[in-house]
């Protein structure tokens, strides 16, 4: 069935919250992916920083198939070994004293963190939360109340929680906002959905110190940044500070739905029996997939690989002199091309035409979050193609300057949000 037919059926069958995506994808292998019409692409978005091992990785296929053929589901009424092995591995990677809750998505990981923080706040007489402007923590009513991005909050307010928003990256604003009445601060180590925006040097360490001094819980939302994305297992490890609670999800399962909330020290003991739960959380197939992801990253030295290929990619992009390109942000294989005009959808479309899947994340920012197994040659192929992609985008954006056949019919495809 063609992309055109699949898009029509999608439009008729689904709610309109995503619009109709421009492509239907059919299959993938490594960092290559094919659409329903048989066109091949280099996948530089990895299902929004999820497909850490690319597509159809043998280790992931084997782990999922073997677990599915053994025991697919237990519920939380029973213990299963894969979930224990995963929790133990996460503890090990994080210094040993963490306690884990397994969920099915990033949003659910944050709901868990929020419930721990609410309970802590009630016990200590702390009544409000602090999060950042333009930050993203999810779409459920709890996670949405922490999400600073106005356009997605506004239609669903007011919210029951008292959340105060501060500009991201401003340690002084954080110092003023966080008092001894604050239950928790929620921070991304680099803002993902806002456009892969890293904070100034030292911001995360300052946030750690502010939380330690006031007794507010420091919650690091690493849902997008964890599991090798930045070249470290966790982005906060670059800063040599540890949060009180950590949430992760996207890259953990390599494509299987899974999220985790890890609370350290005494904060790991805040929940009493019955305080929280999930029927699917700890699902053995998802846990087996996550273990395969962690094992493969370890065995294949992918953290160093991400650092090396990320530097090549970012360096190559930065060296591309083009009037539409202002620069590049981010670290590891988590980058944003920053544009000089609000033409990200045109760049996304031109890249697609040239055989590369990227994501128009903000009007002026294009996200790259490819599989961690992306090769140097594949990264270089994008760098080599970039000038022509930017030319095509610039032409499509101002058709009067373009020759008639150069303008892409898809240039006006809408920006996608997750
Ligand atoms: C994607 C994301 C979420 C939400 O995760 P879902 O799996 O979509 O529920 C929360 N926080 C951050 C930082 C994210 O990038």
């Amino acid at each position: 069935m063609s992309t055109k037919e699949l898009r029509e059926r999608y439009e008729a069958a689904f709610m309109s919250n995503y619009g109709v995506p421009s492509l239907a994808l059919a299959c993938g292998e490594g960092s290559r992916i094919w659409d329903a019409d048989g066109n091949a692409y280099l996948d530089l978005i990895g299902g929004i920083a999820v497909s850490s091992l690319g597509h159809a990785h043998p280790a992931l296929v084997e782990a999922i198939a073997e677990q599915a053929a053994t025991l697919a589901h237990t519920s939380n009424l029973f213990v299963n070994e894969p979930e224990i092995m995963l929790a133990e591995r996460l503890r090990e990677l994080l210094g040993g004293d963490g306690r884990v809750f397994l969920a099915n998505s990033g949003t659910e990981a944050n709901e868990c963190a929020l419930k721990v923080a609410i309970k802590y706040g009630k016990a200590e007489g702390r009544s409000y939360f602090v999060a950042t402007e333009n930050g993203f923590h999810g779409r459920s009513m709890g996670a949405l109340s922490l999400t600073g991005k106005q356009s997605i909050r506004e239609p669903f307010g007011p919210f029951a929680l008292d959340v105060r928003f501060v500009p991201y990256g401003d340690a002084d604003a954080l110092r003023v906002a966080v008092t001894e009445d604050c239950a928790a601060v929620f921070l991304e180590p680099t803002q993902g959905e806002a456009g892969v925006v890293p904070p100034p040097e030292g911001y995360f360490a300052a946030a750690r110190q502010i939380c330690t001094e006031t007794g507010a819980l420091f919650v690091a939302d690493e849902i997008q940044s964890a599991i090798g994305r930045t070249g470290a297992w966790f982005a906060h490890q670059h800063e040599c500070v540890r949060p009180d609670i950590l949430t992760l999800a996207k890259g953990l399962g390599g494509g299987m739905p899974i999220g985790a909330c890890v609370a350290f020290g005494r904060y790991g003991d805040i929940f009493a029996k019955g305080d929280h739960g999930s029927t699917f959380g700890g699902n053995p197939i998802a846990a087996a997939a996550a273990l395969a992801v962690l094992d493969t990253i370890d065995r294949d030295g992918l953290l160093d690989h991400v650092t090396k290929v990320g530097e090549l990619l970012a360096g190559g992009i930065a060296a591309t002199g083009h009037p539409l390109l202002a620069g590049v942000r981010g670290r590891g294989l988590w980058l944003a091309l920053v544009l000089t005009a609000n033409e990200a959808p045109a760049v996304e479309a031109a890249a697609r035409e040239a055989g590369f899947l990227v994501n128009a994340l903000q009007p002026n920012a294009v996200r790259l979050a490819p599989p961690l197994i992306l090769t140097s040659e594949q990264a270089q192929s994008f760098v080599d193609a970039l000038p022509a992609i930017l030319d095509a985008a610039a032409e499509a954006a101002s058709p009067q300057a373009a020759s008639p056949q150069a303008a892409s019919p898809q240039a006006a495809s809408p920006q996608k949000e997750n």
Side-chain angles (χ1 to χ4, degrees), residues 324 343-348 350-351 387-398 411:
L324 190 51
E343 298 298 350
V347 172
E348 179 188 291
I389 290 169
L390 294 170
D391 280 347
E395 281 182 14
S398 51

Side-chain angles (χ1 to χ4, degrees), residues 105-108 110 136-138 188 193 221 223-224 249-250 418:
S105 68
T107 297
E108 288 180 32
N110 278 341
F136 184 81
H137 300 291
E188 298 163 81
E193 296 308 299
D221 180 343
I223 285 162
Q224 193 159 163
K250 289 188 168 80
N418 75 345

